[in-house]
Amino acid sequence: ASNANLNAAIDVRVGGLLGIGGSRSVTQVVFNQQQYYPGDKCVVNLLCDNSNCSSAVKSFKIKLKRKVFARGERIQMYVDKDT
């Protein structure tokens, strides 16, 4: 497992009504690892540039997905679960 950071940039239009009148918000998300195992602590840094928004950011919602890999002699299984 690699210990390098996992980075992602999210560029979205927020606010407005039905996509009209929204403003641009850019968020940089940085996880301290690329893979986590049961019992590991997850450190997430969020850097949000909402300088173009008319409203303040109220909250962030993060959803982690669990991927389980198991191999047998003839079987390879992949499960993608929401956690």
Side-chain angles (χ1 to χ4, degrees):
S2 174
N3 286 334
N5 287 348
L6 179 62
N7 299 303
I10 303 168
D11 188 348
V12 295
R13 292 192 63 80
V14 295
L17 180 62
L18 300 173
I20 300 171
S23 52
R24 183 173 178 243
S25 176
V26 179
T27 303
Q28 182 73 28
V29 182
V30 181
F31 289 87
N32 66 324
Q33 295 177 194
Q34 292 186 13
Q35 293 181 354
Y36 294 91
Y37 296 96
D40 285 354
K41 291 188 179 185
C42 179
V43 177
V44 181
N45 292 310
L46 300 170
L47 178 60
C48 179
D49 176 7
N50 67 331
S51 58
N52 294 324
C53 296
S54 58
S55 301
V57 173
K58 294 179 183 177
S59 64
F60 285 95
K61 185 176 184 179
I62 297 175
K63 187 175 193 178
L64 300 177
K65 292 196 171 200
R66 181 187 317 179
K67 292 184 180 180
V68 178
F69 294 92
R71 287 191 171 179
E73 193 171 302
R74 293 183 178 190
I75 300 170
Q76 185 171 2
M77 179 178 71
Y78 168 77
V79 177
D80 188 0
K81 287 177 107 173
D82 287 342
T83 56

